Amino acid sequence: MRILIADDHEMVRDTLTVFLNAEGRIQVLSAGTLDEALQVIDAKGPFDLVLLDYKMPGMNGLQGLRKAIDGNPQQAFAILSGTAPNSVAQEAVDAGALGFLPKTMGAKSMVNAIRFMALGETYIPADVMQAANSTEDPFDNQLSQRENEVLAGLCDGKSNKEIARDLGLQEVTIKLHVRTLCKKLDARNRTHAAVIAKEAGFG
């Protein structure tokens, strides 16, 4: 797995690199500005995932993300931020990003999220989605289409392996989706998530 971290704070780059390297079988490169990141992509890309800091030089918010995607349509990007409002998470995904990572996330959670997105799946932390959609039905906009599909499998009593086969995904991807679903629905486990969904009239 190859990851590019673009952030103007050296400590953030170094810390993330250490965490990812500790996982093994992950090659990490870094950049300090959007222009530098685009140069690295041109010279050494594509990467399984490129993390772009929302506030670094050259970004101008999500304009930089759109510029990066326009120039590299086959490359997967995600937004990394310590200050962006929660609404930016959905805007970033709508603009073509695979996800949004707050810098306040725990190291293990962030590594899992990066792995998740590197597999091609969309990721927004549950608490960010809850804050952004606080007045909306949890099954309305809070869950992605893929999460709805996985939840339907849980409601049918299927195993992760069965759901993975049905959706043409890896079992590890389904496990990550189930974990995210439990957080978003405030469920103790997969069975509890299915019960919550059924009680809410899901499906």
Side-chain angles (χ1 to χ4, degrees), residues 119-165:
L119 290 169
E121 297 294 322
T122 301
Y123 179 86
I124 299 176
D127 56 344
V128 171
M129 287 300 290
Q130 285 169 350
N133 301 318
S134 57
T135 61
E136 297 172 353
D137 187 299
F139 302 104
D140 188 4
N141 292 319
Q142 188 178 331
L143 304 185
S144 68
Q145 180 181 345
R146 183 70 80 195
E147 286 165 353
N148 277 311
E149 292 170 345
V150 173
L151 184 56
L154 294 183
C155 289
D156 289 339
K158 294 180 179 178
S159 67
N160 288 347
K161 184 177 291 186
E162 289 171 325
I163 297 171
R165 187 176 62 238

Side-chain angles (χ1 to χ4, degrees), residues 1-193:
M1 187 180 293
R2 302 178 71 240
I3 307 293
L4 173 60
I5 301 169
D7 194 297
D8 57 334
H9 290 97
E10 185 177 357
M11 187 176 75
V12 173
R13 297 196 305 268
D14 290 348
T15 302
L16 270 177
T17 298
V18 167
F19 287 137
L20 288 168
N21 283 338
E23 292 291 304
R25 300 190 301 280
I26 299 179
Q27 180 188 5
V28 184
L29 278 74
S30 62
T33 66
L34 177 61
D35 287 343
E36 190 179 332
L38 296 177
Q39 290 170 10
V40 175
I41 293 170
D42 285 341
K44 301 181 179 180
F47 293 85
D48 291 291
L49 185 68
V50 175
L51 294 173
L52 299 175
D53 176 44
Y54 183 72
K55 289 281 191 178
M56 72 178 170
M59 280 296 285
N60 297 314
L62 295 180
Q63 289 182 28
L65 169 67
R66 295 186 181 96
K67 175 183 176 182
I69 291 174
D70 287 345
N72 304 273
Q74 304 305 314
Q75 174 62 63
F77 293 95
I79 292 293
L80 182 69
S81 179
T83 58
N86 292 324
S87 59
V88 168
Q90 189 60 55
E91 289 173 19
V93 171
D94 290 344
L98 266 181
F100 176 88
L101 295 179
K103 293 180 183 178
T104 52
M105 284 181 73
K108 192 67 179 175
S109 296
M110 188 170 285
V111 169
N112 284 336
I114 290 171
R115 282 185 174 278
F116 194 52
M117 290 186 289
L119 290 169
E121 297 294 322
T122 301
Y123 179 86
I124 299 176
D127 56 344
V128 171
M129 287 300 290
Q130 285 169 350
N133 301 318
S134 57
T135 61
E136 297 172 353
D137 187 299
F139 302 104
D140 188 4
N141 292 319
Q142 188 178 331
L143 304 185
S144 68
Q145 180 181 345
R146 183 70 80 195
E147 286 165 353
N148 277 311
E149 292 170 345
V150 173
L151 184 56
L154 294 183
C155 289
D156 289 339
K158 294 180 179 178
S159 67
N160 288 347
K161 184 177 291 186
E162 289 171 325
I163 297 171
R165 187 176 62 238
D166 289 347
L167 299 180
L169 298 172
Q170 297 179 15
E171 189 174 351
V172 64
T173 304
I174 300 301
K175 287 180 180 177
L176 287 167
H177 274 307
V178 171
R179 188 179 305 164
T180 302
L181 280 168
C182 288
K183 285 183 180 178
K184 287 187 175 183
L185 301 179
D186 197 22
R188 294 185 298 276
N189 50 46
R190 53 187 288 127
T191 304
H192 189 208

